[in-house]
Amino acid sequence: ISYDDPSALDKQVEVLRQHETLKQNSHYLFDKLLHNDYRLDPWRLGLSDFKILISLREPEPAIKSIADLFGKKETDEPYASPVEAASYYIERIQWLADFCRSDNLPYHYYDAELFQSAPEWLLGKLTDWLDLDSPLSERYQLFSQTGIAGKGDSSEFIRSGKIEKTRFDYSHIHLPEEALNGALAIYRDCRSIIIDHAADSLTS
């Protein structure tokens, strides 16, 4: 959902309560916005304290992951094409760079690859950024929606209950060199902008 008016928070809590019980003494409502269709305007939510985390995944695995995900759907999906998936990826990171450059909102940035290459380092930083009372762990609790298609990561890895360092094999997906090189150039530019405007960042 979009977060551009106070009712969005109530809506998200209502959706969460359909499947889970809120943790006692919890402080945060967390959501992950992956698409440009979902807007974010924290100043209009009436919040005095919010945390924004922004993360980018490198183009080749990100684009192949998108194409793989949509290729598994039973309907014809444009993003099953690696070239179309590359266009989607480019539009998304350009939107994020514009958001970071223009909205003057405090946020923290990290490279997504750190979850696999240096999880302890990243989790320690996230614990600090979020002012958590207890440190984040490489092991996590499974919930009713964990691994459900359409609810985020639906791979077998997410169901293990711990950060997996095994990388997916997308060798069956052919991403044309021209599309990859174009995405790489834009990724480097957008990542540089996002890091430059961040309150703090962690990079690999």
Side-chain angles (χ1 to χ4, degrees):
I1 64 174
S2 292
Y3 291 91
D4 51 8
D5 106 29
S7 67
L9 297 172
D10 294 332
K11 179 179 178 181
Q12 186 60 292
V13 170
E14 181 182 341
V15 170
L16 180 63
R17 282 181 166 150
Q18 290 174 7
H19 305 286
E20 308 292 347
T21 300
L22 296 181
K23 283 186 177 180
Q24 195 171 16
N25 301 320
S26 56
H27 301 291
Y28 289 117
L29 176 68
F30 174 80
D31 198 2
K32 180 174 66 172
L33 302 184
L34 296 176
H35 309 289
N36 290 348
D37 291 341
Y38 302 136
R39 314 305 291 180
L40 174 62
D41 189 351
W43 300 121
R44 297 182 61 187
L45 299 179
L47 297 174
S48 59
D49 184 24
F50 53 84
K51 305 283 186 179
I52 298 175
L53 302 174
I54 292 179
S55 180
L56 297 183
R57 190 179 183 191
E58 292 176 351
E60 185 170 6
I63 292 166
K64 289 184 175 182
S65 173
I66 294 166
D68 181 69
L69 175 66
F70 281 93
K72 292 175 179 175
K73 295 180 181 292
E74 296 180 358
T75 56
D76 289 334
E77 297 283 350
Y79 298 139
S81 157
V83 173
E84 292 300 322
S87 296
Y88 168 86
Y89 174 86
I90 288 169
E91 289 173 5
R92 180 57 181 161
I93 64 173
Q94 286 177 326
W95 187 96
L96 287 170
D98 288 342
F99 173 83
C100 294
R101 182 169 40 197
S102 62
D103 275 29
N104 197 31
L105 289 166
Y107 66 88
H108 297 87
Y109 171 82
Y110 63 91
D111 287 332
E113 290 72 28
L114 289 169
F115 264 115
Q116 289 183 307
S117 64
E120 287 187 13
W121 188 33
L122 174 59
L123 293 173
K125 203 69 170 175
L126 290 173
T127 298
D128 291 340
W129 287 343
L130 296 173
D131 297 320
L132 300 180
D133 296 329
S134 56
L136 291 168
S137 167
E138 292 185 43
R139 294 191 172 275
Y140 51 85
Q141 182 180 348
L142 302 184
F143 296 93
S144 65
Q145 303 301 293
T146 303
I148 301 297
K151 303 294 185 180
D153 187 349
S154 57
S155 70
E156 67 274 12
F157 290 145
I158 197 69
R159 298 182 184 91
S160 70
K162 61 184 177 65
I163 294 176
E164 294 284 353
K165 296 185 179 181
T166 304
R167 298 183 183 273
F168 284 99
D169 178 16
Y170 295 119
S171 57
H172 61 289
I173 295 177
H174 173 65
L175 176 59
E177 187 174 352
E178 183 179 0
L180 175 58
N181 289 340
L184 274 168
I186 293 171
Y187 163 79
R188 293 188 186 108
D189 288 344
C190 290
R191 179 175 176 272
S192 178
I193 291 168
I194 292 169
I195 291 171
D196 286 347
H197 288 78
D200 194 9
S201 62
L202 198 62
T203 59
S204 51

